[in-house]
Amino acid sequence: MGAQMRVYRQRIRSVQATKKITRAMELIAASRVVKAQQRVKESSPYARALTRAVSAVATYSNVDHPLTTEHDDVRRAAVLVITSDRGLAGAYSSSVIKESERLIGELREAGKEVVPYLVGRKAVGFYKFRKREYAQDWTGFTDQPTFDVAKEIGESLVAAFNQPYDEGGVDEVHVVFTRFVNMVTQEPDVIRMLPLEVVEGEEAPDPDDVLPLYEFEPSAEQVLDALLPKYVGARIYNCLLQAAASELASRQKAMKSATDNAEELIKKYTRLANQARQAEITQEISEIVGGASALADAS
């Protein structure tokens, strides 16, 4: 019985130590997800203004720009997969990877070659473990992305899109990320980034809202040359911010669940330890009573 008691007490101490870690991680994620949500909201006005400007130029200039032009023969597609650098976030990264595998399957069924671009150590690990090739990766920032990283990713994707097919260029660019709906819901999502389809984002445009009538200086083509790469960078930045908020929300939920499970285990092992102790006491009393009876019989 003594050995059993020691086992239960050791397990209780072990689970209590684990609970302290998961509880701390839950609180850290909870505090950081609020800031991440705020960053998503703060990026919206810039993205909206840039979208309006791009829409106005595209509407009033009638210019065919390389980034908005569909390629005649789509043979190769790039897929940017946005995951996390760290684990302990439930099914966050695995859900994104699963969605990317579904998209890649569809593209290959359509006869397209796929070139992966990876964000986050989880995606890189997934590809390296399976010895799959990929074009480029970015890691070390997933829970706190910066616009500089988004700009770098955007420049790489735009360069691949503008490159001829024979030189390794791509005809389409897709992005797989996790859309942050609210603290309870985060959904893997896919958008086609290139060729560009100018969108307003989450909010539907007001039908009475008239686009400003811009004058283009020096020319509409050069204005689009300057605006469209910025537009790509802004959209990728928004995807990274939503992914970061989703990662932190998923981690908070996962750590809360782990903390709750630890509490249940502590209760279970405490109950078992008490039962073992009670059985030990009962056995000791039985031995005392048995010994006293034996002495009484002997006399």
Side-chain angles (χ1 to χ4, degrees):
M1 287 293 180
Q4 197 175 25
M5 282 284 295
R6 282 194 296 274
V7 169
Y8 288 140
R9 283 171 179 164
Q10 177 59 40
R11 287 181 180 175
I12 289 170
R13 285 194 294 271
S14 176
V15 175
Q16 283 174 333
T18 303
K19 179 187 166 186
K20 286 181 182 177
I21 295 169
T22 57
R23 179 62 176 160
M25 292 185 71
E26 178 193 342
L27 293 174
I28 291 167
S31 65
R32 293 178 68 183
V33 75
V34 175
K35 295 177 184 176
Q37 280 181 275
Q38 189 62 33
R39 293 181 75 192
V40 173
K41 290 179 182 176
E42 287 171 355
S43 72
S44 297
Y46 172 76
R48 196 174 296 115
L50 191 58
T51 300
R52 281 169 57 82
V54 171
S55 298
V57 178
T59 301
Y60 296 129
S61 67
N62 295 320
V63 172
D64 289 329
H65 191 274
L67 295 186
T68 60
T69 304
E70 299 277 349
H71 290 194
D72 294 332
D73 186 11
V74 179
R75 293 170 286 178
R76 186 181 293 135
V79 175
L80 177 68
V81 186
I82 300 175
T83 64
S84 65
D85 286 320
R86 296 187 296 127
L88 300 177
Y92 169 75
S93 288
S94 59
S95 295
V96 178
I97 291 171
K98 184 179 179 181
E99 183 66 15
S100 72
E101 291 290 280
R102 182 198 63 75
L103 172 64
I104 289 170
E106 286 184 359
L107 292 170
R108 284 179 176 155
E109 282 180 12
K112 300 172 186 176
E113 180 188 344
V114 176
V115 182
Y117 289 77
L118 310 178
V119 171
R121 293 192 181 98
K122 289 296 177 182
V124 173
F126 179 84
Y127 273 73
K128 283 186 174 179
F129 181 75
R130 288 159 179 78
K131 294 182 172 57
R132 296 186 188 176
E133 293 184 358
Y134 55 90
Q136 201 170 348
D137 68 80
W138 296 267
T139 60
F141 60 86
T142 58
D143 55 353
Q144 290 183 310
T146 64
F147 188 78
D148 288 339
V149 173
K151 182 182 175 185
E152 182 184 330
I153 296 171
E155 287 171 351
S156 293
L157 294 175
V158 168
F161 185 74
N162 284 332
Q163 201 168 14
Y165 174 83
D166 297 337
E167 296 176 19
V170 300
D171 303 301
E172 289 180 344
V173 176
H174 302 266
V175 180
V176 186
F177 69 107
T178 306
R179 188 176 296 282
F180 183 86
V181 181
N182 51 49
M183 283 298 297
V184 178
T185 307
Q186 301 89 40
E187 301 171 343
D189 198 4
V190 177
I191 59 173
R192 195 187 76 168
M193 185 68 67
L194 294 171
L196 281 171
E197 297 170 322
V198 179
V199 295
E200 284 289 342
E202 300 298 321
E203 296 179 13
D206 186 345
D208 298 326
D209 188 16
V210 179
L211 289 172
L213 189 58
Y214 291 99
E215 290 185 2
F216 309 123
E217 184 67 36
S219 68
E221 290 88 342
Q222 287 173 286
V223 170
L224 284 174
D225 282 341
L227 278 181
L228 289 177
K230 286 184 171 60
Y231 178 71
V232 172
R235 288 198 73 191
I236 289 175
Y237 186 46
N238 183 260
C239 291
L240 291 175
L241 289 177
Q242 291 206 51
S246 299
E247 176 188 344
L248 290 166
S250 297
R251 181 165 293 117
Q252 182 190 356
K253 285 190 292 184
M255 291 301 98
K256 184 180 187 312
S257 178
T259 303
D260 292 344
N261 288 339
E263 288 176 353
E264 288 300 315
L265 275 175
I266 290 168
K267 288 178 184 176
K268 175 186 173 183
Y269 286 133
T270 301
R271 187 167 60 249
L272 290 171
N274 290 340
Q275 288 173 355
R277 179 61 181 151
Q278 288 164 2
E280 190 176 328
I281 292 169
T282 302
Q283 185 175 341
E284 288 173 358
I285 293 171
S286 299
E287 288 171 355
I288 292 168
V289 171
S293 298
L295 286 172
D297 292 343
S299 62

